[in-house]
Amino acid sequence: MQSITIRQPDDWHLHFRDNEMLAETVPATARCFARAIVMPNLVPPVTNASLAMAYKERILAARPAGSQFEPLMTLYLTNETTPADITAAKAAGVTACKLYPAGATTNSDAAVKGISALYPVFEQMQKDGMLLLVHGEVTESHVDIFDREKVFIDQYMVKIVQDFPALKVVFEHITTGDAADFVLAHGANVGATITPQHLLLNRNDLLVGGVRPHNYCLPVLKRNTHQARLREVVAEGSKKFFLGTDSAPHAKHRKENACGCAGCYSAWSAIELYAEVFEQLNAMDKFEDFASNNGPDFYGLPRNEGTITLVKESWQVPELVTLADGTEMVPFFAGQTLNWKLA
C-alpha cells in the first residue's frame, strides 16, 4: 500500500493552551483534523458557558486563513459546579464536561474532591445529553502511579456507569488492559480515546537508559503487556475506541527540569503516528473507523464529508518547534522517522 485516503478525522481529546500558544497549536491540529474536543484545564479553568465561548473565540481567531476547523468546547467540573451550569453550557453549545480528580494532571488543582458530590451534576448531564469525559486515575499518594487507573475503575468508574446508565461516558486516554476491558464490558454509552504514545510506547521508553522527559505524560506509560492490549483492541476494530491524541504542548525548559511537565505534543505528526501503528498491526482496514467514524458516531455528531490522503513517504519529525516569541518545544517522536506523511 503506497497511499490511503480516509474520511477527514477528528481529535477527540487535546490541549491547545491559550493566548500566544494558540498561533502554534491550532494550525498544527487544523492541518488534518476537522474538529477537536478542547480540554478546559487553563489557568483559571473553563468552568462555565461564558468562559467556554470566550475561549472558543480565541481559538477561532487562531485558525489558518480559509480553515473550517471547529473546536468543540468542554466545561471543567469542580465541586462548585451546579446543575444550572450544565443546562446553561448545553444551551450555549458546549459539547461535554471534563472530570479531573484533583491533582491528576497539569492545571488540575481546582478539580473535583469527592466524586460522589457531583452526582446531582451527573444527573443533569444525563438529562441534558451532555457527555462526561473522565480522566480516570485516583490521586491518593499511597497508590502506586502505575496502578491508579485500575484503582479508579474499581472505586469510581464502575459506580458512575451503573448509577447513570443513560449518561454517555468517555474514558479518556486509556493506558491499561483493565481500562480497555472495562469499556468492552459495558454498554454503548461507554467509549474511550487512545493516544499515539500509549499505542507506540511503554514505560521502558520512559525510564530505560535514563529518564526521557518528552515521553512523560499522565496517565503515565504502562508496562508492555498493557500496551499490547491497547494495540490488540484497536486492531480488532471495536467501535467503542477512537482517536484522541491528548496532544499537550509544553516549553522545552518546563519539560526538562526537576519537576517536568506531563504531556506529549503530538499534533504535528498525530495522524501519521496513528497510521504507523495500524500498519504495524496489519490493520489499515480498521484505521478509518478509529480515526474518522467511531468518534462522531459516539458523540452523536455527523461524520465529516471531506477526506485526507496519506502517502508512503519517509520523513523526520522535527527536533524542535519554535514559537513566535522564541519559546522552544520538543514534539513527540522528535528526530524520529515516520513512514506515512499527510499529502
Side-chain angles (χ1 to χ4, degrees):
M1 180 181 291
Q2 295 302 307
S3 69
I4 182 170
T5 297
I6 62 172
R7 185 186 304 275
Q8 189 171 15
D10 305 295
D11 188 343
W12 297 99
H13 180 115
L14 62 66
H15 301 263
F16 277 140
R17 309 304 184 207
D18 205 357
N19 301 320
E20 69 281 349
M21 188 75 83
L22 297 177
E24 159 62 25
T25 56
V26 175
T29 290
R31 76 188 182 97
C32 65
F33 294 114
R35 296 170 291 201
I37 285 282
V38 181
M39 290 297 103
N41 56 331
L42 306 182
V43 181
V46 179
T47 54
N48 59 50
S50 61
L51 290 171
M53 292 302 105
Y55 185 27
K56 181 176 183 177
E57 288 306 311
R58 297 195 296 276
I59 294 167
L60 292 174
R63 290 187 304 186
S67 172
Q68 298 300 308
F69 171 77
E70 180 185 4
L72 303 175
M73 307 312 294
T74 61
L75 216 63
Y76 185 113
L77 296 176
T78 75
N79 288 106
E80 286 68 53
T81 305
T82 67
D85 291 329
I86 301 304
T87 299
K90 180 70 175 182
V94 172
T95 301
C97 294
K98 183 61 185 276
L99 173 62
Y100 290 106
T105 191
T106 304
N107 300 339
S108 66
D109 293 341
V112 174
K113 300 177 180 70
I115 289 172
S116 61
L118 278 182
Y119 268 36
V121 170
F122 295 162
E123 180 66 37
Q124 192 64 47
M125 291 174 64
Q126 187 171 244
K127 288 179 182 177
D128 290 345
M130 181 81 81
L131 283 81
L132 175 64
L133 317 182
V134 180
H135 183 120
E137 293 186 288
V138 299
T139 56
E140 291 87 348
S141 60
H142 68 278
V143 180
D144 189 290
I145 192 169
F146 294 107
D147 297 331
R148 291 181 177 186
E149 187 169 272
K150 173 65 164 63
V151 173
F152 187 93
I153 293 169
D154 294 341
Q155 289 188 357
Y156 301 108
M157 202 70 169
V158 170
K159 189 165 173 52
I160 290 171
V161 170
Q162 287 176 347
D163 291 347
F164 301 96
L167 179 64
K168 279 195 170 181
V169 179
V170 181
F171 202 157
E172 301 274 38
H173 44 50
I174 62 170
T175 68
T176 61
D178 306 286
D181 293 340
F182 171 84
V183 171
L184 288 169
H186 288 81
N189 277 356
V190 180
T193 56
I194 308 181
T195 74
Q197 62 263 29
H198 291 107
L199 291 168
L200 287 162
L201 306 179
N202 58 66
R203 64 190 190 185
N204 281 357
D205 299 292
L206 175 65
L207 298 170
V208 171
V211 176
R212 303 178 191 179
H214 299 287
N215 289 344
Y216 173 53
C217 57
L218 289 172
V220 72
L221 297 170
K222 302 300 194 296
R223 65 170 64 246
N224 59 356
T225 52
H226 290 297
Q227 177 197 10
R229 181 61 180 138
L230 298 185
R231 289 167 68 91
E232 183 178 51
V233 297
V234 300
E236 289 170 350
S238 168
K239 304 297 185 185
K240 294 167 75 69
F241 302 97
F242 38 94
L243 186 157
T245 64
D246 197 18
S247 182
H250 292 282
K252 181 174 183 285
H253 70 275
R254 295 189 182 279
K255 292 283 289 179
E256 297 176 0
N257 66 41
C259 52
C261 297
C264 300
Y265 182 50
S266 58
W268 275 115
S269 56
I271 198 65
E272 295 92 341
L273 289 163
Y274 283 113
E276 201 89 4
V277 171
F278 279 83
E279 183 179 46
Q280 291 171 6
L281 296 172
N282 294 315
M284 290 299 276
D285 60 317
K286 307 296 196 306
F287 180 43
E288 183 176 39
D289 279 345
F290 178 84
S292 310
N293 297 336
N294 297 348
D297 291 354
F298 186 86
Y299 270 77
L301 295 171
R303 296 179 178 183
N304 297 316
E305 293 295 327
T307 62
I308 63 167
T309 297
L310 292 150
V311 295
K312 198 71 176 292
E313 179 182 333
S314 295
W315 65 287
Q316 190 176 65
V317 180
E319 296 279 0
L320 289 172
V321 173
T322 304
L323 305 187
D325 64 0
T327 299
E328 293 181 335
M329 296 194 303
V330 177
F332 182 61
F333 251 51
Q336 298 189 55
T337 298
L338 296 178
N339 296 312
W340 288 95
K341 188 174 185 180
L342 186 68

